[in-house]
Amino acid sequence: MPPGMGAQAPKPRPDYSKPPNSSTLIFKNHGKTDVPVVSLRYSQASPSGYCPAVRVSTPKARLLTGCSPFRNPSPLLCLSRLILGPAPPFHCPPYNAPRHIMTTPQIQSLHFATDSLLALNNDHSIELSPLTLAELDVLIRESFFSATINDSDALLIAFDQSSRYQHVNFLWFRAFFEKALQQITSPSSSRAPRAELARGPLEQTANANFVYVDRVVTSPAARGKGYARALYAELFQRAKSAGHTRIACEVNLDPPNPVSDAFHASFNFHEVGRAAIQNNSKTVRYLLRNL
């Protein structure tokens, strides 16, 4: 300690978890003249806790006004974009704007069809099937579970075995499980041993119950955000709560749909059959996943 100087209390470290309103921080350049001193000003976090507004100004540079996707971020996290020289203003979105990096997709149960959902379906009529608004409305009203995200960013419609749905793929699964049930309950009528049948489609419960995914689709602008996965996770939970132990669906083999193939493989769906439908104009793979 230099002579003539008393003991100095250590400076308290700033608490960045709850930033005060309109505070200023100075980042020194440590003797490097080519690095400007940065004055960081930020506003109090919004009630929702997302995207506090950040504005940074320097003597030699201008920083864009920006925002952080983190809840109550530290100033260092906010200091993300430095642009030397003049820069156009960049306005932070409203504090309560959705942040896909932080927020869980808001799944909305459906009870009726809308024009935007019809457009989403018919824009993917090759992978799905074209519908009228009345037809889509009937599917939604009679489904086991139908849901969307952000009104029309994604759509899922599923039926259980009790549905009056008459689509050929749904009827294939109904016949498939009923036949398997007959075999496991009457082993004398089947060449397959009872133990082998028990390891098949009815390995968990000796019944013909199932939940069938009729369609799941995400709009091009909303892809890569996990919406389809979120809808499947919600469906799995609802199916379990209703006592179901298996999910069934089909994926086009011809014309091929490699994206859907990879998506369902990631959920451990496995193939249990194939069929040519629509006057042999399309071939589908029938997939099954045990819950």
Side-chain angles (χ1 to χ4, degrees):
M1 181 182 302
M5 296 186 63
Q8 295 181 352
K11 295 182 179 180
R13 297 183 64 181
D15 180 10
Y16 294 149
S17 63
K18 296 180 180 179
N21 190 34
S22 300
S23 65
T24 301
L25 295 174
I26 304 297
F27 293 83
K28 295 184 178 180
N29 59 20
H30 301 287
K32 298 179 180 180
T33 57
D34 58 336
V35 179
V37 175
V38 179
S39 174
L40 174 65
R41 299 183 65 85
Y42 55 91
S43 67
Q44 186 71 26
S46 68
S48 64
Y50 294 102
C51 189
V54 178
R55 178 178 294 279
V56 183
S57 60
T58 75
K60 298 183 180 180
R62 180 189 303 175
L63 258 67
L64 295 177
T65 300
C67 60
S68 167
F70 301 94
R71 185 183 294 272
N72 295 330
S74 74
L76 292 179
L77 291 175
C78 296
L79 190 60
S80 59
R81 299 188 65 178
L82 173 64
I83 298 181
L84 298 176
F90 178 83
H91 299 291
C92 179
Y95 294 161
N96 59 354
R99 281 294 189 275
H100 299 295
I101 192 173
M102 288 295 297
T103 59
T104 301
Q106 298 301 307
I107 297 174
Q108 304 161 282
S109 296
L110 289 173
H111 305 286
F112 55 87
T114 64
D115 289 332
S116 57
L117 290 173
L118 179 66
L120 174 63
N121 181 89
N122 290 346
D123 284 345
H124 301 82
S125 58
I126 295 178
E127 298 84 359
L128 306 175
S129 58
L131 297 170
T132 65
L133 186 61
E135 290 171 337
L136 179 58
D137 192 71
V138 170
L139 292 185
I140 291 174
R141 293 180 185 276
E142 296 195 358
S143 66
F144 167 77
F145 175 62
S146 293
T148 185
I149 294 177
N150 299 335
D151 294 329
S152 60
D153 277 348
L155 170 67
L156 180 144
I157 300 177
F159 300 91
D160 66 10
Q161 76 289 334
S162 64
S163 171
R164 296 178 295 177
Y165 193 36
Q166 294 296 304
H167 193 277
V168 60
N169 293 325
F170 174 79
L171 296 178
W172 187 96
F173 275 111
R174 177 182 281 172
F176 173 77
F177 287 117
E178 289 176 350
K179 180 179 179 180
L181 179 60
Q182 291 175 358
Q183 290 176 342
I184 199 173
T185 55
S186 303
S188 59
S189 64
S190 172
R191 295 180 181 179
R194 186 185 183 101
E196 181 180 343
L197 290 170
R199 290 192 297 268
L202 300 177
E203 61 178 326
Q204 295 191 29
T205 56
N207 60 55
N209 296 346
F210 66 97
V211 171
Y212 166 72
V213 180
D214 181 63
R215 63 197 66 217
V216 58
V217 60
T218 303
S219 68
R223 289 172 187 165
K225 299 177 180 179
Y227 287 176
R229 288 188 173 275
L231 288 171
Y232 260 47
E234 181 70 15
L235 173 64
F236 294 169
Q237 184 59 46
R238 288 176 179 254
K240 282 184 178 181
S241 298
H244 289 286
T245 60
R246 60 183 74 95
I247 303 291
C249 68
E250 87 283 343
V251 176
N252 286 354
L253 180 64
D254 183 22
N257 191 346
V259 174
S260 185
D261 286 336
F263 174 78
H264 287 90
S266 71
F267 281 103
N268 296 319
F269 280 85
H270 61 277
E271 183 176 326
V272 293
R274 298 184 180 187
I277 61 175
Q278 296 179 3
N279 296 322
N280 294 322
S281 64
K282 179 187 292 189
T283 303
V284 297
R285 299 169 59 231
Y286 294 114
L287 306 180
L288 180 66
R289 182 190 191 274
N290 291 318
L291 296 176

